[in-house]
Short mmCIF file of all heavy atoms in Angstrom, two decimals:
data_model
loop_
_atom_site.label_atom_id
_atom_site.label_comp_id
_atom_site.label_asym_id
_atom_site.label_seq_id
_atom_site.Cartn_x
_atom_site.Cartn_y
_atom_site.Cartn_z
N VAL M 77 4.74 83.27 -12.87
CA VAL M 77 5.81 82.42 -12.35
C VAL M 77 6.82 83.31 -11.66
O VAL M 77 7.42 84.19 -12.28
CB VAL M 77 6.49 81.62 -13.50
CG1 VAL M 77 7.59 80.74 -12.95
CG2 VAL M 77 5.46 80.81 -14.26
N GLN M 78 6.97 83.10 -10.35
CA GLN M 78 7.91 83.90 -9.57
C GLN M 78 9.29 83.24 -9.58
O GLN M 78 9.39 82.02 -9.36
CB GLN M 78 7.40 84.06 -8.15
CG GLN M 78 6.08 84.80 -8.09
CD GLN M 78 5.48 84.79 -6.70
OE1 GLN M 78 5.69 83.88 -5.91
NE2 GLN M 78 4.71 85.83 -6.41
N LYS M 79 10.31 84.04 -9.80
CA LYS M 79 11.67 83.51 -9.91
C LYS M 79 12.08 82.70 -8.69
O LYS M 79 12.72 81.65 -8.82
CB LYS M 79 12.66 84.65 -10.15
CG LYS M 79 14.08 84.19 -10.39
CD LYS M 79 15.00 85.35 -10.71
CE LYS M 79 16.41 84.87 -11.02
NZ LYS M 79 17.29 85.98 -11.35
N ASN M 80 11.68 83.14 -7.50
CA ASN M 80 12.10 82.43 -6.29
C ASN M 80 11.40 81.08 -6.13
O ASN M 80 11.74 80.32 -5.25
CB ASN M 80 11.89 83.30 -5.04
CG ASN M 80 10.43 83.63 -4.79
OD1 ASN M 80 9.56 83.36 -5.61
ND2 ASN M 80 10.16 84.24 -3.66
N ARG M 81 10.43 80.76 -7.00
CA ARG M 81 9.75 79.46 -6.95
C ARG M 81 10.21 78.53 -8.08
O ARG M 81 9.76 77.40 -8.17
CB ARG M 81 8.25 79.66 -7.01
CG ARG M 81 7.75 80.42 -5.80
CD ARG M 81 6.25 80.57 -5.81
NE ARG M 81 5.86 80.65 -4.42
CZ ARG M 81 5.11 79.77 -3.80
NH1 ARG M 81 4.64 78.73 -4.44
NH2 ARG M 81 4.81 79.91 -2.53
N VAL M 82 11.07 79.03 -8.96
CA VAL M 82 11.59 78.22 -10.06
C VAL M 82 12.80 77.44 -9.56
O VAL M 82 13.67 78.00 -8.87
CB VAL M 82 11.97 79.13 -11.26
CG1 VAL M 82 12.66 78.33 -12.35
CG2 VAL M 82 10.75 79.84 -11.80
N ASN M 83 12.89 76.18 -9.90
CA ASN M 83 14.03 75.34 -9.51
C ASN M 83 15.21 75.63 -10.41
O ASN M 83 15.29 75.14 -11.53
CB ASN M 83 13.66 73.86 -9.58
CG ASN M 83 12.64 73.48 -8.55
OD1 ASN M 83 12.67 73.98 -7.44
ND2 ASN M 83 11.73 72.60 -8.91
N MET M 84 16.13 76.43 -9.91
CA MET M 84 17.30 76.82 -10.68
C MET M 84 18.25 75.64 -10.84
O MET M 84 18.43 74.85 -9.92
CB MET M 84 18.04 77.96 -9.96
CG MET M 84 19.19 78.48 -10.76
SD MET M 84 20.80 78.73 -9.96
CE MET M 84 20.69 78.35 -8.30
N LEU M 85 18.83 75.52 -12.04
CA LEU M 85 19.84 74.51 -12.32
C LEU M 85 21.17 75.24 -12.46
O LEU M 85 21.24 76.26 -13.15
CB LEU M 85 19.51 73.76 -13.60
CG LEU M 85 18.13 73.13 -13.67
CD1 LEU M 85 17.82 72.66 -15.08
CD2 LEU M 85 18.03 71.99 -12.68
N SER M 86 22.20 74.71 -11.84
CA SER M 86 23.50 75.37 -11.85
C SER M 86 24.54 74.46 -12.49
O SER M 86 24.58 73.26 -12.20
CB SER M 86 23.87 75.70 -10.40
OG SER M 86 25.19 76.10 -10.30
N ILE M 87 25.35 75.05 -13.36
CA ILE M 87 26.37 74.31 -14.10
C ILE M 87 27.68 75.11 -14.02
O ILE M 87 27.65 76.31 -13.74
CB ILE M 87 25.93 74.14 -15.58
CG1 ILE M 87 24.56 73.47 -15.63
CG2 ILE M 87 26.93 73.34 -16.39
CD1 ILE M 87 23.81 73.69 -16.91
N ASP M 88 28.80 74.49 -14.31
CA ASP M 88 30.10 75.16 -14.35
C ASP M 88 30.39 75.85 -13.02
O ASP M 88 30.65 77.05 -12.97
CB ASP M 88 30.15 76.15 -15.53
CG ASP M 88 31.54 76.72 -15.77
OD1 ASP M 88 32.53 76.07 -15.39
OD2 ASP M 88 31.64 77.83 -16.34
N ASN M 89 30.33 75.06 -11.94
CA ASN M 89 30.61 75.58 -10.58
C ASN M 89 29.75 76.79 -10.23
O ASN M 89 30.21 77.73 -9.58
CB ASN M 89 32.09 75.92 -10.42
CG ASN M 89 32.96 74.69 -10.52
OD1 ASN M 89 32.64 73.66 -9.93
ND2 ASN M 89 34.04 74.77 -11.27
N GLY M 90 28.51 76.81 -10.71
CA GLY M 90 27.57 77.88 -10.37
C GLY M 90 27.66 79.10 -11.26
O GLY M 90 26.89 80.05 -11.08
N ARG M 91 28.57 79.10 -12.23
CA ARG M 91 28.73 80.28 -13.09
C ARG M 91 27.69 80.34 -14.21
O ARG M 91 27.52 81.38 -14.82
CB ARG M 91 30.14 80.33 -13.68
CG ARG M 91 31.19 80.60 -12.62
CD ARG M 91 32.55 80.73 -13.23
NE ARG M 91 32.94 79.43 -13.81
CZ ARG M 91 34.17 79.10 -14.10
NH1 ARG M 91 35.16 79.93 -13.90
NH2 ARG M 91 34.43 77.91 -14.62
N TYR M 92 27.02 79.23 -14.50
CA TYR M 92 25.98 79.16 -15.55
C TYR M 92 24.71 78.69 -14.84
O TYR M 92 24.64 77.57 -14.35
CB TYR M 92 26.39 78.18 -16.64
CG TYR M 92 25.50 78.18 -17.86
CD1 TYR M 92 25.89 78.81 -19.03
CD2 TYR M 92 24.26 77.54 -17.84
CE1 TYR M 92 25.08 78.80 -20.16
CE2 TYR M 92 23.45 77.53 -18.96
CZ TYR M 92 23.86 78.16 -20.12
OH TYR M 92 23.05 78.14 -21.23
N ARG M 93 23.70 79.58 -14.75
CA ARG M 93 22.46 79.27 -14.04
C ARG M 93 21.27 79.33 -14.99
O ARG M 93 21.11 80.29 -15.74
CB ARG M 93 22.27 80.25 -12.88
CG ARG M 93 23.35 80.11 -11.82
CD ARG M 93 23.27 81.18 -10.75
NE ARG M 93 23.42 82.54 -11.25
CZ ARG M 93 24.58 83.11 -11.62
NH1 ARG M 93 25.71 82.42 -11.56
NH2 ARG M 93 24.63 84.36 -12.03
N VAL M 94 20.44 78.28 -14.92
CA VAL M 94 19.28 78.16 -15.80
C VAL M 94 18.02 78.15 -14.93
O VAL M 94 17.94 77.39 -13.96
CB VAL M 94 19.34 76.86 -16.63
CG1 VAL M 94 18.12 76.71 -17.50
CG2 VAL M 94 20.61 76.81 -17.45
N PHE M 95 17.04 78.97 -15.32
CA PHE M 95 15.76 79.04 -14.62
C PHE M 95 14.67 78.58 -15.59
O PHE M 95 14.28 79.33 -16.49
CB PHE M 95 15.49 80.47 -14.16
CG PHE M 95 16.54 81.01 -13.22
CD1 PHE M 95 17.69 81.61 -13.72
CD2 PHE M 95 16.37 80.92 -11.85
CE1 PHE M 95 18.66 82.11 -12.86
CE2 PHE M 95 17.34 81.41 -10.99
CZ PHE M 95 18.48 82.01 -11.49
N PRO M 96 14.17 77.34 -15.45
CA PRO M 96 13.14 76.84 -16.37
C PRO M 96 11.76 77.37 -16.01
O PRO M 96 11.03 76.77 -15.23
CB PRO M 96 13.24 75.32 -16.20
CG PRO M 96 13.79 75.13 -14.82
CD PRO M 96 14.64 76.32 -14.52
N TYR M 97 11.40 78.51 -16.59
CA TYR M 97 10.12 79.15 -16.27
C TYR M 97 8.93 78.38 -16.85
O TYR M 97 7.91 78.24 -16.19
CB TYR M 97 10.11 80.59 -16.79
CG TYR M 97 10.81 81.53 -15.84
CD1 TYR M 97 12.18 81.71 -15.90
CD2 TYR M 97 10.10 82.24 -14.89
CE1 TYR M 97 12.83 82.57 -15.02
CE2 TYR M 97 10.74 83.10 -14.01
CZ TYR M 97 12.10 83.26 -14.08
OH TYR M 97 12.74 84.09 -13.20
N PHE M 98 9.03 77.94 -18.08
CA PHE M 98 7.95 77.20 -18.71
C PHE M 98 8.53 75.94 -19.36
O PHE M 98 8.99 75.98 -20.49
CB PHE M 98 7.21 78.06 -19.76
CG PHE M 98 6.58 79.28 -19.15
CD1 PHE M 98 7.18 80.52 -19.25
CD2 PHE M 98 5.38 79.16 -18.46
CE1 PHE M 98 6.59 81.64 -18.67
CE2 PHE M 98 4.79 80.28 -17.88
CZ PHE M 98 5.40 81.52 -17.99
N PRO M 99 8.50 74.81 -18.62
CA PRO M 99 9.06 73.58 -19.17
C PRO M 99 8.22 73.02 -20.32
O PRO M 99 7.06 73.39 -20.50
CB PRO M 99 9.05 72.62 -17.99
CG PRO M 99 8.34 73.29 -16.88
CD PRO M 99 8.02 74.67 -17.28
N PHE M 100 8.80 72.12 -21.06
CA PHE M 100 8.15 71.49 -22.20
C PHE M 100 6.89 70.74 -21.76
O PHE M 100 6.87 70.10 -20.71
CB PHE M 100 9.11 70.50 -22.86
CG PHE M 100 8.52 69.75 -24.01
CD1 PHE M 100 8.49 70.31 -25.27
CD2 PHE M 100 7.95 68.51 -23.82
CE1 PHE M 100 7.94 69.62 -26.33
CE2 PHE M 100 7.40 67.80 -24.87
CZ PHE M 100 7.39 68.37 -26.14
N GLU M 101 5.85 70.83 -22.57
CA GLU M 101 4.63 70.05 -22.40
C GLU M 101 4.22 69.58 -23.78
O GLU M 101 4.47 70.27 -24.78
CB GLU M 101 3.51 70.88 -21.79
CG GLU M 101 3.80 71.33 -20.37
CD GLU M 101 2.70 72.20 -19.80
OE1 GLU M 101 1.62 72.31 -20.41
OE2 GLU M 101 2.93 72.79 -18.73
N ASP M 102 3.57 68.42 -23.87
CA ASP M 102 3.17 67.88 -25.17
C ASP M 102 2.30 68.83 -25.96
O ASP M 102 2.40 68.91 -27.18
CB ASP M 102 2.44 66.55 -25.00
CG ASP M 102 3.39 65.41 -24.66
OD1 ASP M 102 4.57 65.50 -25.06
OD2 ASP M 102 2.96 64.46 -24.00
#
Side-chain angles (χ1 to χ4, degrees):
V77 180
Q78 297 172 331
K79 185 176 183 179
N80 64 352
R81 296 182 152 244
V82 173
N83 293 322
M84 185 227 358
L85 306 169
S86 169
I87 304 159
D88 190 24
N89 295 316
R91 292 184 294 199
Y92 189 103
R93 295 173 300 284
V94 179
F95 301 86
Y97 279 85
F98 298 101
F100 177 84
E101 294 178 11
D102 285 332

